[in-house]
Protein backbone atom coordinates (compact mmCIF):
# COMPACT_ATOMS: atom_id res chain seq x y z
CA UNK A 1 0.00 0.00 0.00
CA UNK A 2 2.79 2.39 0.91
CA UNK A 3 4.69 1.63 -2.30
CA UNK A 4 1.57 2.33 -4.37
CA UNK A 5 1.09 5.67 -2.61
CA UNK A 6 4.71 6.61 -3.22
CA UNK A 7 4.41 5.66 -6.90
CA UNK A 8 1.26 7.78 -7.22
CA UNK A 9 2.98 10.76 -5.61
CA UNK A 10 5.94 10.42 -7.96
CA UNK A 11 3.61 10.26 -10.95
CA UNK A 12 1.59 13.30 -9.84
CA UNK A 13 4.76 15.25 -9.13
CA UNK A 14 6.26 14.45 -12.53
CA UNK A 15 3.07 15.36 -14.42
CA UNK A 16 2.71 18.63 -12.48
CA UNK A 17 6.36 19.49 -13.11
CA UNK A 18 5.94 18.74 -16.81
CA UNK A 19 2.93 21.08 -16.97
CA UNK A 20 4.90 23.73 -15.10
CA UNK A 21 7.76 23.48 -17.59
CA UNK A 22 5.39 23.56 -20.56
CA UNK A 23 3.49 26.57 -19.24
CA UNK A 24 6.66 28.55 -18.65
CA UNK A 25 7.93 27.63 -22.10
CA UNK A 26 4.68 28.59 -23.85
CA UNK A 27 4.60 31.93 -22.04
CA UNK A 28 8.15 32.66 -23.15
CA UNK A 29 7.88 31.59 -26.78
CA UNK A 30 4.23 32.22 -27.71
CA UNK A 31 2.15 34.39 -25.40
CA UNK A 32 4.50 37.17 -24.24
CA UNK A 33 5.98 37.92 -27.70
CA UNK A 34 2.42 38.32 -28.98
CA UNK A 35 1.79 41.12 -26.46
CA UNK A 36 4.63 43.12 -28.01
CA UNK A 37 2.79 43.15 -31.35
CA UNK A 38 -0.38 44.80 -30.02
CA UNK A 39 -1.01 48.21 -31.62
CA UNK A 40 -1.98 50.08 -28.45
CA UNK A 41 0.06 50.52 -25.28
CA UNK A 42 -3.09 50.58 -23.14
CA UNK A 43 -4.30 47.31 -24.66
CA UNK A 44 -0.91 45.71 -24.10
CA UNK A 45 -0.88 46.95 -20.50
CA UNK A 46 -4.30 45.46 -19.72
CA UNK A 47 -3.49 42.18 -21.45
CA UNK A 48 -0.16 41.89 -19.63
CA UNK A 49 -1.78 42.62 -16.25
CA UNK A 50 -4.41 39.91 -16.78
CA UNK A 51 -1.85 37.44 -18.10
CA UNK A 52 0.53 38.13 -15.22
CA UNK A 53 -2.17 37.52 -12.60
CA UNK A 54 -3.48 34.29 -14.12
CA UNK A 55 -0.07 32.85 -15.02
CA UNK A 56 1.41 33.46 -11.57
CA UNK A 57 -1.56 31.67 -9.99
CA UNK A 58 -1.22 28.63 -12.23
CA UNK A 59 2.58 28.48 -11.95
CA UNK A 60 2.47 28.64 -8.15
CA UNK A 61 -0.24 25.97 -7.99
CA UNK A 62 1.69 23.57 -10.22
CA UNK A 63 4.92 24.24 -8.34
CA UNK A 64 3.20 23.62 -5.00
CA UNK A 65 1.61 20.36 -6.13
CA UNK A 66 4.84 19.10 -7.67
CA UNK A 67 7.17 19.98 -4.80
CA UNK A 68 4.73 18.61 -2.18
CA UNK A 69 4.31 15.35 -4.08
CA UNK A 70 8.04 14.73 -4.42
CA UNK A 71 8.74 15.64 -0.81
CA UNK A 72 5.97 13.34 0.49
CA UNK A 73 7.20 10.57 -1.80
CA UNK A 74 10.66 10.87 -0.24
CA UNK A 75 9.32 10.94 3.33
CA UNK A 76 6.96 7.99 2.83
CA UNK A 77 9.48 5.81 0.99
CA UNK A 78 11.20 2.99 2.90
CA UNK A 79 14.71 3.74 4.03
CA UNK A 80 16.22 1.57 1.30
CA UNK A 81 14.24 3.45 -1.38
CA UNK A 82 14.79 7.05 -0.29
CA UNK A 83 16.37 8.15 -3.54
CA UNK A 84 18.17 11.52 -3.45
CA UNK A 85 16.70 12.55 -6.79
CA UNK A 86 13.37 13.20 -5.05
CA UNK A 87 14.99 15.85 -2.87
CA UNK A 88 16.95 17.32 -5.76
CA UNK A 89 13.81 17.56 -7.87
CA UNK A 90 11.98 19.25 -5.01
CA UNK A 91 14.85 21.72 -4.72
CA UNK A 92 14.69 22.54 -8.44
CA UNK A 93 10.93 23.07 -8.29
CA UNK A 94 11.23 25.42 -5.33
CA UNK A 95 14.14 27.22 -6.98
CA UNK A 96 12.05 27.90 -10.08
CA UNK A 97 9.77 30.00 -7.91
CA UNK A 98 12.72 32.25 -7.04
CA UNK A 99 13.83 32.73 -10.65
CA UNK A 100 12.62 36.33 -10.44
CA UNK A 101 15.34 37.13 -7.92
CA UNK A 102 18.00 35.51 -10.12
CA UNK A 103 17.26 37.72 -13.11
CA UNK A 104 16.34 40.87 -11.16
CA UNK A 105 19.82 42.47 -11.59
CA UNK A 106 19.33 42.24 -15.38
CA UNK A 107 15.78 43.64 -15.33
CA UNK A 108 15.52 46.25 -12.58
CA UNK A 109 17.89 48.78 -14.11
CA UNK A 110 16.05 49.18 -17.40
CA UNK A 111 12.62 49.09 -15.75
CA UNK A 112 13.65 51.74 -13.22
CA UNK A 113 14.96 54.03 -15.93
CA UNK A 114 11.67 53.72 -17.81
CA UNK A 115 9.64 54.52 -14.73
CA UNK A 116 11.62 57.66 -13.96
CA UNK A 117 10.66 59.14 -17.32
CA UNK A 118 6.93 58.59 -16.95
CA UNK A 119 6.08 61.13 -14.19
CA UNK A 120 7.79 63.94 -16.10
CA UNK A 121 5.67 63.19 -19.14
CA UNK A 122 2.51 63.26 -17.06
CA UNK A 123 3.32 66.60 -15.49
CA UNK A 124 4.07 68.19 -18.84
CA UNK A 125 0.84 66.96 -20.35
CA UNK A 126 -1.12 68.03 -17.30
CA UNK A 127 0.16 71.58 -17.61
CA UNK A 128 -0.63 71.67 -21.31
CA UNK A 129 -4.14 70.46 -20.63
CA UNK A 130 -4.71 73.11 -17.95
CA UNK A 131 -3.45 75.92 -20.16
CA UNK A 132 -5.54 74.75 -23.11
CA UNK A 133 -8.70 74.77 -20.98
CA UNK A 134 -8.00 78.31 -19.80
CA UNK A 135 -7.58 79.54 -23.39
CA UNK A 136 -10.47 77.69 -24.98
CA UNK A 137 -13.06 78.53 -22.32
CA UNK A 138 -16.26 76.87 -21.28
CA UNK A 139 -17.42 75.96 -24.81
CA UNK A 140 -14.75 73.29 -25.12
CA UNK A 141 -15.34 71.69 -21.74
CA UNK A 142 -18.01 69.45 -23.22
CA UNK A 143 -15.28 67.36 -24.84
CA UNK A 144 -13.40 66.88 -21.58
CA UNK A 145 -14.35 63.22 -21.30
CA UNK A 146 -13.06 62.40 -24.78
CA UNK A 147 -9.81 64.30 -24.35
CA UNK A 148 -9.15 62.84 -20.91
CA UNK A 149 -9.68 59.33 -22.28
CA UNK A 150 -7.20 59.96 -25.06
CA UNK A 151 -4.71 61.42 -22.63
CA UNK A 152 -5.04 58.39 -20.36
CA UNK A 153 -4.06 56.19 -23.29
CA UNK A 154 -1.14 58.46 -24.12
CA UNK A 155 0.02 58.57 -20.50
CA UNK A 156 0.77 54.85 -20.65
CA UNK A 157 4.45 54.57 -21.49
CA UNK A 158 4.87 52.04 -24.27
CA UNK A 159 8.58 51.64 -23.54
CA UNK A 160 7.83 50.80 -19.91
CA UNK A 161 5.31 48.13 -20.95
CA UNK A 162 7.89 46.65 -23.32
CA UNK A 163 10.49 46.59 -20.53
CA UNK A 164 8.05 44.84 -18.18
CA UNK A 165 7.08 42.22 -20.76
CA UNK A 166 10.70 41.54 -21.71
CA UNK A 167 11.64 41.31 -18.04
CA UNK A 168 8.86 38.81 -17.42
CA UNK A 169 10.08 36.85 -20.43
CA UNK A 170 13.55 36.60 -18.87
CA UNK A 171 11.99 35.37 -15.63
CA UNK A 172 10.08 32.66 -17.46
CA UNK A 173 13.16 31.64 -19.42
CA UNK A 174 14.93 31.03 -16.11
CA UNK A 175 11.89 29.15 -14.77
CA UNK A 176 11.77 26.98 -17.90
CA UNK A 177 15.44 26.04 -17.59
CA UNK A 178 15.27 25.25 -13.86
CA UNK A 179 11.97 23.37 -14.08
CA UNK A 180 13.16 21.54 -17.21
CA UNK A 181 16.21 20.24 -15.37
CA UNK A 182 14.00 19.05 -12.52
CA UNK A 183 11.56 17.41 -14.96
CA UNK A 184 14.37 15.56 -16.72
CA UNK A 185 15.74 14.42 -13.36
CA UNK A 186 12.35 13.16 -12.19
CA UNK A 187 11.72 11.33 -15.47
CA UNK A 188 15.07 9.57 -15.33
CA UNK A 189 14.52 8.80 -11.62
CA UNK A 190 11.11 7.23 -12.21
CA UNK A 191 12.48 5.21 -15.11
CA UNK A 192 15.32 4.01 -12.86
CA UNK A 193 12.84 3.02 -10.15
CA UNK A 194 10.83 1.00 -12.67
CA UNK A 195 13.92 -0.70 -14.04
CA UNK A 196 15.10 -1.58 -10.53
CA UNK A 197 11.69 -3.07 -9.64
CA UNK A 198 11.72 -5.12 -12.84
CA UNK A 199 15.14 -6.56 -12.02
CA UNK A 200 13.97 -7.51 -8.53
CA UNK A 201 10.86 -9.23 -9.88
CA UNK A 202 12.87 -11.24 -12.45
CA UNK A 203 15.30 -12.39 -9.78
Amino acid sequence: MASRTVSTLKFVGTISLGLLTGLSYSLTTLTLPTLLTLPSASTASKAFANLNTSSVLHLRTLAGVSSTSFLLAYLLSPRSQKHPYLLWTTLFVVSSGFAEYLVRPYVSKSTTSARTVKPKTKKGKGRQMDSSYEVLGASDRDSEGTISGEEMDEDINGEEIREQVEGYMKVNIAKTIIAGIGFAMSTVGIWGDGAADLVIIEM
Side-chain angles (χ1 to χ4, degrees), residues 74-117:
Y74 179 80
L75 295 176
L76 295 177
S77 297
R79 181 172 296 182
S80 59
Q81 298 180 5
K82 288 185 181 293
H83 301 292
Y85 84 88
L86 295 172
L87 289 180
W88 280 106
T89 306
T90 303
L91 180 62
F92 275 105
V93 176
V94 174
S95 298
S96 67
F98 296 95
E100 178 181 358
Y101 301 98
L102 298 177
V103 300
R104 178 175 291 180
Y106 306 98
V107 178
S108 59
K109 185 177 180 180
S110 57
T111 304
T112 303
S113 62
R115 288 178 179 175
T116 55
V117 178

Side-chain angles (χ1 to χ4, degrees), residues 36-37 157-169:
L36 299 178
T37 63
N157 193 331
E159 291 298 325
E160 181 179 356
I161 299 301
R162 176 176 291 274
E163 293 291 342
Q164 291 177 358
V165 173
E166 290 178 350
Y168 193 56
M169 286 177 61

Side-chain angles (χ1 to χ4, degrees), residues 60-198:
R60 288 180 178 176
T61 301
L62 291 172
V65 172
S66 180
S67 59
T68 302
S69 298
F70 284 120
L71 184 60
L72 287 177
Y74 179 80
L75 295 176
L76 295 177
S77 297
R79 181 172 296 182
S80 59
Q81 298 180 5
K82 288 185 181 293
H83 301 292
Y85 84 88
L86 295 172
L87 289 180
W88 280 106
T89 306
T90 303
L91 180 62
F92 275 105
V93 176
V94 174
S95 298
S96 67
F98 296 95
E100 178 181 358
Y101 301 98
L102 298 177
V103 300
R104 178 175 291 180
Y106 306 98
V107 178
S108 59
K109 185 177 180 180
S110 57
T111 304
T112 303
S113 62
R115 288 178 179 175
T116 55
V117 178
K118 187 175 179 181
K120 294 180 181 179
T121 306
K122 280 188 173 182
K123 289 181 180 179
K125 290 183 179 178
R127 291 174 182 174
Q128 291 176 2
M129 290 292 293
D130 293 339
S131 61
S132 63
Y133 283 139
E134 291 175 359
V135 174
L136 294 176
S139 60
D140 293 336
R141 291 180 182 176
D142 296 336
S143 61
E144 181 179 356
T146 305
I147 296 176
S148 61
E150 294 175 355
E151 290 297 326
M152 286 178 63
D153 290 340
E154 292 178 359
D155 283 343
I156 298 177
N157 193 331
E159 291 298 325
E160 181 179 356
I161 299 301
R162 176 176 291 274
E163 293 291 342
Q164 291 177 358
V165 173
E166 290 178 350
Y168 193 56
M169 286 177 61
K170 293 179 181 178
V171 171
N172 280 278
I173 289 173
K175 285 184 178 181
T176 303
I177 294 173
I178 297 173
I181 294 173
F183 178 68
M185 185 178 297
S186 65
T187 303
V188 173
I190 288 180
W191 179 83
D193 291 342
D197 294 338
L198 181 62

